[in-house]
Each structure stands twice: as C-alpha cells, then as structure tokens.
C-alpha cells in the first residue's frame, strides 16, 4: 500500500509543479516521474537546509512539489546552455 501512496504523491507533486512552472502537466507518466524525482530532490534540499516538511500526505506533497519545481527549473537552465 505504501507504493500506491508513493505513486499518488508523485502524481500530485508532478502535476502541481507542471502547473506552477509550465502552465500544465506532463501527462500521467511524466507527472509521476517528475514528482518522484522531485521528492528525492526536495527531500535532499529540505535536509540540507535544515527544514522539516512535516509528516503525512500534505508534508510529502509539499516537499515533492518544491523538489519538482527546482528540478524543472534546473533542467530548463541546462537545456538553454
């Protein structure tokens, strides 16, 4: 059941990041990939900066969304160079 929540958080975070940065989502699979990678990036950044995302579903979505937005931003910078 944890795997289902992991995928759900990735989907929500990827979609939110797509809306915040691009103006739309990346499709279901793209949103999941961006959200899951964003969760890894966000978790690393939050630990590095000493922040806590809180617990539960909402905290996980916030951390994953922040990480996904950072991931998209960095990928766009690399793509331009």
């Amino acid at each position: 059941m944890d795997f289902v929540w992991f995928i759900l958080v990735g989907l929500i975070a990827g979609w939110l990041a797509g809306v915040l940065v691009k103006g739309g989502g990346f499709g279901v699979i793209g949103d999941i990939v961006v959200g899951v990678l964003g969760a890894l990036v966000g978790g690393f950044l939050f630990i590095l900066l000493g922040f806590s995302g809180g617990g539960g579903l909402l905290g996980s979505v916030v951390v994953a969304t922040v990480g996904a937005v950072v991931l998209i931003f960095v990928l766009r910078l690399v793509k331009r160079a």
Side-chain angles (χ1 to χ4, degrees):
M1 191 66 179
D2 288 337
F3 182 72
V4 174
W5 285 111
F6 187 69
I7 297 298
L8 182 65
V9 167
L11 178 63
I12 293 168
W15 177 79
L16 280 173
V19 169
L20 292 172
V21 175
K22 180 183 165 207
F26 300 103
V28 174
I29 301 298
D31 286 344
I32 291 172
V33 170
V34 168
V36 169
L37 292 175
L40 295 172
V41 171
F44 175 75
L45 289 176
F46 272 55
I47 289 172
L48 186 68
L49 297 174
F51 292 128
S52 172
L57 183 63
L58 183 60
S60 298
V61 170
V62 168
V63 170
T65 302
V66 168
V69 168
V70 169
L71 177 69
I72 293 169
F73 181 73
V74 169
L75 288 175
R76 285 190 178 172
L77 285 178
V78 170
K79 188 176 179 182
R80 281 189 207 162

